[in-house]
Amino acid sequence: MSIIREEYLELAPQGRYLSDVVVLSQAWKKSHVFIRRHNWYADVLELDSSTINLEKRLVRWAEDISRSDFKPDDLLLVPAPKNAKWEFRPRPEAPMLEDLLNSDIDELGSEPTFDDWCPKPKQVDTTSHAVDTSMLQKLRPLAHLSIRDQTLATAVMMCLAEAIETAQGDPTEKDVLSTRERGVVSYGNRLHCRWVETPNARARAHFSWGNSRTYRQYFQDYRAFLARPRRVCTELMPQVQPGRELFVVSLDIKSFFDRVDRAALLQELRRLETEYRQSIGLPDRMASDEPFWECTARILDWTWRDGEHGQAELILGHGAARLDLGLPQGLVASGFFANAYLVGLDRELQRAAGNALELDGGVKIHDYCRYVDDIRIVVEARNGSGGIAQADVQKAVEEFVKRELEAHRVRLGASQTLELSDDKCAVTPY
């Protein structure tokens, strides 16, 4: 006999769960553990103090979200450097160097900095040794959210977890080719679930919302993502005709989290929840209700603190007046919502790969997989005499994916266009 009350055996996307102290306590635990492990800029004092009189806090948060005028706290900006190549700044010419060494430190105002270790700029004036600071280290606009707002968003994720994870398929299969045959293409930010086969649909996800684990281990899923193109190429190679070659095209969606349209995301969450319920054959009592979606819309209504927009040029470059905001980078549930936003795109690109779609220049698509905003596509094209250049292979795939990104935006009814990062696109011959 189960000691768990029946109403908690499965969470449904219903408003009553978002104001249930039991559900909020588990959402707080998941958020608390994740933030301590991953958000290096977290306000630890706030996390510690949230444990004091926790039940009273949760009751108050439940009352907050039940109000029609609820608004999340303003987000605080945390500029963080992205990965980049670093170098020592070029040394000045010898005469200038002698002047510096012979000068009084007080006259110079500070010690000479010609050996500074710094991000490698894209453009350097070699005559004056002036560095274009606009081309230096790129910054990522991380966001600090209150523990209350983190908890509420995690509660939304918990109620929708099984629908969204089931839509993406089971990524735990060790055999890459088996995973590919099942149509699974999404590897990043997947929730920690157990999977059960169903007679009428793909495997169904069961999310353990009552423990502290949220996402699967990064090293497991990223390793599988990187291994997939090579494994697919190995399998396809014996079938490749003479005069043709396999290529792996790497693509990246530019500023993905910042360009998620939250209104479109909300509608996509509704669609996927309905699809899941119908495909699994869940009873009507598990259907979503309007109070849930109304509360979710309020929970996702984030804004930057007014003063943070003064840093827009620092993040976005010269002339930027305001910061973008789609999904906050720092929100525990952002990875989950980001995957939901791209389910439709995944399905279209997976369908193209399954049909071995042929692009311009005889480039044929064989496989597609994604790790959040990082994409790998395996294609086949002519090589040798009369073949196609690698740059043309890349161009054909890029143009195809750009068209699919725009088609996906139209399907969602989103205002923000998703684009590819030109400097992160590459092609590698197998």
Side-chain angles (χ1 to χ4, degrees):
M1 182 177 179
S2 175
I3 63 172
I4 302 174
R5 289 167 58 179
E6 185 177 355
E7 64 185 298
Y8 296 124
L9 290 175
E10 287 188 274
L11 292 186
Q14 297 171 356
R16 63 192 176 98
Y17 285 118
L18 295 182
S19 57
D20 188 310
V21 172
V22 174
V23 175
L24 290 180
S25 67
Q26 298 303 320
W28 171 85
K29 179 169 69 174
K30 285 183 179 293
S31 301
H32 191 274
V33 170
F34 184 93
I35 292 168
R36 282 190 178 276
R37 288 180 178 173
H38 299 282
N39 291 12
W40 50 265
Y41 55 89
D43 184 345
V44 180
L45 179 59
E46 181 195 23
L47 295 178
D48 289 341
S49 63
S50 71
T51 64
I52 303 172
N53 294 325
L54 178 59
E55 186 172 357
K56 289 184 177 179
R57 289 178 185 272
L58 296 176
V59 170
R60 188 168 66 250
W61 295 351
E63 293 172 349
D64 289 344
I65 191 54
S66 298
R67 299 198 317 267
S68 60
D69 62 346
F70 171 81
K71 186 78 171 62
D73 297 326
D74 289 344
L75 307 184
L76 306 182
L77 176 68
V78 183
K82 294 185 177 182
N83 292 336
K85 294 181 179 180
W86 284 59
E87 67 173 5
F88 285 105
R89 282 202 180 119
R91 281 180 172 271
E93 299 295 336
M96 183 178 176
L97 178 60
E98 292 178 4
D99 292 341
L100 284 170
L101 295 177
N102 293 330
S103 298
D104 199 24
I105 293 298
D106 291 334
E107 293 178 9
L108 295 171
S110 62
E111 294 186 6
T113 59
F114 47 78
D115 275 343
D116 282 354
W117 177 242
C118 62
K120 186 176 181 179
K122 293 183 179 178
Q123 295 177 352
V124 177
D125 184 342
T126 56
T127 58
S128 65
H129 301 283
V131 178
D132 180 357
T133 56
S134 67
M135 304 300 288
L136 286 178
Q137 177 72 68
K138 292 183 177 180
L139 297 176
R140 188 186 305 277
L142 301 183
H144 173 73
L145 297 90
S146 66
I147 185 60
R148 181 199 67 175
D149 295 343
Q150 289 272 19
T151 299
L152 293 174
T154 298
V156 172
M157 178 186 73
M158 286 161 47
C159 292
L160 292 169
E162 296 183 357
I164 304 306
E165 288 300 311
T166 300
Q168 296 177 86
D170 180 5
T172 64
E173 181 70 52
K174 292 183 179 180
D175 182 9
V176 169
L177 296 180
S178 177
T179 303
R180 176 172 175 253
E181 290 174 1
R182 290 169 174 260
V184 179
V185 298
S186 175
Y187 288 89
N189 288 334
R190 298 300 304 273
L191 298 183
H192 182 73
C193 300
R194 61 184 178 87
W195 293 83
V196 178
E197 294 294 332
T198 60
N200 300 323
R202 63 170 62 190
R204 180 186 178 188
H206 286 272
F207 180 57
S208 299
W209 63 272
N211 62 31
S212 61
R213 293 193 66 177
T214 302
Y215 292 104
R216 286 172 47 80
Q217 295 295 325
Y218 164 83
F219 71 88
Q220 291 176 329
D221 288 344
Y222 195 65
R223 183 168 57 187
F225 168 71
L226 293 178
R228 175 162 168 162
R230 178 181 291 273
R231 182 72 178 87
V232 170
C233 286
T234 302
E235 180 70 14
L236 292 174
M237 200 62 193
Q239 307 168 28
V240 175
Q241 298 297 318
R244 296 184 69 82
E245 186 175 0
L246 295 173
F247 299 86
V248 178
V249 182
S250 303
L251 306 170
D252 179 88
I253 302 177
K254 183 178 181 180
S255 303
F256 171 46
F257 284 85
D258 298 331
R259 297 186 178 187
V260 170
D261 184 315
R262 280 173 275 150
L265 168 64
L266 198 61
Q267 293 304 312
E268 185 69 349
L269 292 172
R270 277 179 177 260
R271 186 188 70 79
L272 292 172
E273 186 276 329
T274 301
E275 174 189 276
Y276 166 74
R277 181 164 37 85
Q278 293 175 348
S279 66
I280 298 298
L282 295 179
D284 291 341
R285 62 181 176 80
M286 297 296 293
S288 63
D289 59 18
E290 282 306 309
F292 174 83
W293 298 113
E294 291 169 1
C295 287
T296 299
R298 294 195 289 268
I299 291 170
L300 271 57
D301 188 23
W302 304 289
T303 54
W304 290 111
R305 186 177 62 177
D306 286 342
E308 307 298 5
H309 291 289
Q311 305 299 320
E313 286 201 26
L314 179 68
I315 302 295
L316 301 175
H318 180 69
R322 296 184 65 82
L323 293 167
D324 296 326
L325 180 57
L327 291 172
Q329 297 183 59
L331 177 73
V332 175
S334 274
F336 169 80
F337 290 134
N339 277 338
Y341 196 73
L342 292 182
V343 166
L345 176 71
D346 288 341
R347 289 176 175 175
E348 290 301 316
L349 293 179
Q350 191 275 332
R351 187 176 295 113
N355 294 331
L357 180 68
E358 189 167 321
L359 308 178
D360 293 342
V363 177
K364 187 180 296 185
I365 297 178
H366 283 296
D367 188 53
Y368 158 81
C369 60
R370 178 179 62 83
Y371 192 98
V372 193
D373 56 0
D374 196 2
I375 293 171
R376 297 287 188 276
I377 298 179
V378 174
V379 300
E380 177 189 338
R382 297 189 306 275
N383 66 359
S385 178
I388 183 172
Q390 288 188 33
D392 293 329
V393 171
Q394 179 177 325
K395 182 180 178 182
V397 175
E398 282 186 32
E399 290 180 350
F400 166 69
V401 174
K402 287 177 180 178
R403 291 195 299 270
E404 290 298 325
L405 286 171
E406 175 59 15
H408 182 61
R409 182 196 68 79
V410 172
R411 284 193 300 270
L412 292 177
S415 59
Q416 284 273 43
T417 299
L418 296 178
E419 301 175 350
L420 296 179
S421 300
D422 293 335
D423 58 340
K424 293 184 180 179
C425 297
V427 58
T428 305
Y430 178 69

